[in-house]
Amino acid sequence: MPGEPQDDCLFCKIAAGHIPATIVRETDTTVAFRDINPQAPTHVLVIPKVHYENAAALAAAEPAVAADVLREAQSVADDEKVESYRIVFNTGSGAGQTVWHAHAHILGGRGLEWPPG
Ligand code: AMP
Ligand code: ZN
């Protein structure tokens, strides 16, 4: 079924608590945890608990959960006391996507260049 946990998915395992992560927030539909290879003083990933391979697939199938991810991004920023931050959804390997479970990178705590690389 669409959205079902995948046995071979790292972020499904983190969402299920089967692999440890530094979790900073959790809701019924989302988990937020620190990126293991941070690119900024604040670098948190917000994931839906349901499995979709990217943000667009999530939004198409479960738009309310996609909105939950965006709301949680703001809550992470509030918790981290970062006024300005960037939300990144790498989509496709050419854009640097390496984990095929939708996730928002929340980056803040330093100056962020525009346009990004
Ligand atoms: P992306 O490259 O956009 O698919 O993002 C995947 C992110 O997951 C990368 O920034 C990785 O550093 C991060 N990552 C990979 N494994 C873990 C892990 N076990 N715990 C936390 N973050 C992870
Ligand atoms: Zn998954």
Side-chain angles (χ1 to χ4, degrees), residues 54 88-100 116-117:
N54 59 42
V88 175
F89 292 97
N90 292 327
T91 303
S93 51
Q97 187 176 3
T98 58
V99 179
W100 304 92

Side-chain angles (χ1 to χ4, degrees), residues 11 15 18 22 32 37 43 60 64 68 74 78 80 87 94 98 107 110:
F11 287 177
H18 296 155
T22 305
N37 182 24
H43 188 173
D68 292 343
Q74 180 63 56
D78 291 344
E80 300 275 315
I87 302 175
T98 58
L107 296 152
R110 64 166 168 82

Side-chain angles (χ1 to χ4, degrees), residues 28-65:
D28 286 350
T29 58
T30 65
V31 182
F33 53 95
R34 295 201 187 279
D35 196 292
I36 206 167
N37 182 24
Q39 301 302 313
T42 291
H43 188 173
V44 171
L45 302 175
V46 181
I47 65 168
K49 290 183 175 176
V50 286
H51 177 95
Y52 291 94
E53 78 169 24
N54 59 42
L58 171 68
E62 303 202 32
V65 179

Side-chain angles (χ1 to χ4, degrees), residues 4-6 9-13 48-52 100-102:
E4 288 291 301
Q6 303 293 302
C9 175
L10 174 65
F11 287 177
C12 283
K13 288 178 186 161
K49 290 183 175 176
V50 286
H51 177 95
Y52 291 94
W100 304 92
H101 178 129

Side-chain angles (χ1 to χ4, degrees), residues 24 34 41-44 75-83:
V24 295
R34 295 201 187 279
T42 291
H43 188 173
V44 171
S75 297
V76 166
D78 291 344
D79 289 354
E80 300 275 315
K81 299 187 170 41
V82 292
E83 201 174 313

